[in-house]
Amino acid sequence: MDMDPVFRALADPSRRALLDRLHTENGQTLGELCEGLTMSRQAVSKHLVLLEEANLVAVVWRGREKLHYLNPVPIAEIADRWIGKFERARVKALVDLKRELESDDEKA
Amino acid sequence: MRKPDAVFVTFIAATPQAVWDLLTDKARSPQFFFGYVMSVGGAAGEPFTVTRADGTPDVAGKVLVHEPPHRLRVSWDMVAMPDVPTAELEFLLEPVDDVVRLTIRQFDGGPISDSFVEAGREGWSLIQASLKTLLETGRPLPPIKPRPPQ
């Protein structure tokens, strides 16, 4: 698998922000994604093309409406390459622990 | 058309028939489905089930659309969680150049908790990655290849 487009797409903070928005609310139109952003519609549209090319965004057409979905599969493929079957559970436990501890920090 | 709640896409260097054969092969399903056995009935209306390695039923459902080797749609009921509304899962296998685009569309039966959304994301991503690895390399998951320091 050619991972270069995935890493290139993820290297930009604006594109990561778009993925964050889809992570929160999946299946948005370009118009919905632009709401509340300082980026121009054109810029968002360009970023989405790169995300689509990297397969990090999957598109579903509903009539004339183009819906954008976060596609986490390429990230799973990266994990598959460097994380073994048995390590995955341990890595997940560590990530969960970190999240748990950090959310406690925020509350304190 | 109803809007899917989640979409998962991967490209696999194989034929649609090879992807379909693996996806519907009960004997090989534990190799890409976390050791669970997925059983897909051979026609619309027949049962669709997922069973854990110890024999506990996990998912009960029905085959809704059975169009080999391009489209499979099933209903999805979590056996141990009757409160979770019945979902539907659709598998689309489309040839693109000389590879297959495998799309999984998830249609929730109603609002589900965030932890369920996350579990679905993680689960389907890993299943797709496993299907791809299995079809392209013949191995269930790649071995770890640590790189020596430069």
Side-chain angles (χ1 to χ4, degrees), chain B residues 14 83 88-89 127:
Chain B
D83 293 346
E88 290 182 14
L89 261 302
I127 287 168

Side-chain angles (χ1 to χ4, degrees), chain B residues 5-111:
Chain B
D5 292 282
V7 179
F8 306 91
V9 180
T10 194
F11 294 85
I12 303 178
T15 60
Q17 191 63 49
V19 180
W20 177 275
D21 288 347
L22 177 58
L23 195 61
T24 56
D25 185 347
K26 190 176 166 180
R28 283 188 290 168
S29 62
Q31 295 179 46
F32 63 82
F33 209 116
F34 315 115
Y36 291 21
V37 176
M38 184 168 92
S39 171
V40 184
E46 289 191 16
F48 166 82
T49 58
V50 178
T51 311
R52 294 186 189 178
D54 65 2
T56 316
D58 193 59
V59 176
K62 269 198 163 42
V63 176
L64 303 173
V65 177
H66 190 271
E67 295 168 2
H70 295 297
R71 188 163 166 246
L72 175 70
R73 188 163 170 136
V74 299
S75 63
W76 187 281
D77 261 313
M78 304 297 299
V79 175
M81 285 171 270
D83 293 346
V84 177
T86 307
E88 290 182 14
L89 261 302
E90 186 169 59
F91 301 81
L92 300 170
L93 291 66
E94 302 156 281
V96 178
D97 298 329
D98 53 354
V99 302
V100 178
R101 176 167 52 214
L102 171 65
T103 305
I104 301 177
R105 292 180 175 181
Q106 177 185 328
F107 300 85
D108 298 332

Side-chain angles (χ1 to χ4, degrees), chain A residues 1 22-23 26-27 55 58 60-62 67 69-73 76-77 80-82 84-85 87-88 92, chain B residues 1 3-11 105 118 121-122 125-126 128-130 132-133 141-142 144 147:
Chain A
M1 171 201 172
L22 292 176
H23 184 262
N26 220 350
N55 196 27
V60 171
W61 284 94
R62 196 176 54 163
L67 304 173
Y69 287 82
L70 169 68
N71 182 32
V73 182
E77 286 165 0
D80 243 12
R81 177 161 164 180
W82 285 297
K85 188 178 180 178
E87 286 159 312
R88 188 172 285 135
K92 176 147 177 39
Chain B
M1 188 193 87
K3 177 178 164 177
D5 292 282
V7 179
F8 306 91
V9 180
T10 194
F11 294 85
R105 292 180 175 181
E118 283 305 318
R121 246 173 212 162
E122 194 176 311
S125 299
L126 292 174
Q128 286 238 11
S130 298
K132 180 182 169 74
T133 305
L141 278 168
I144 315 145
R147 299 188 168 200

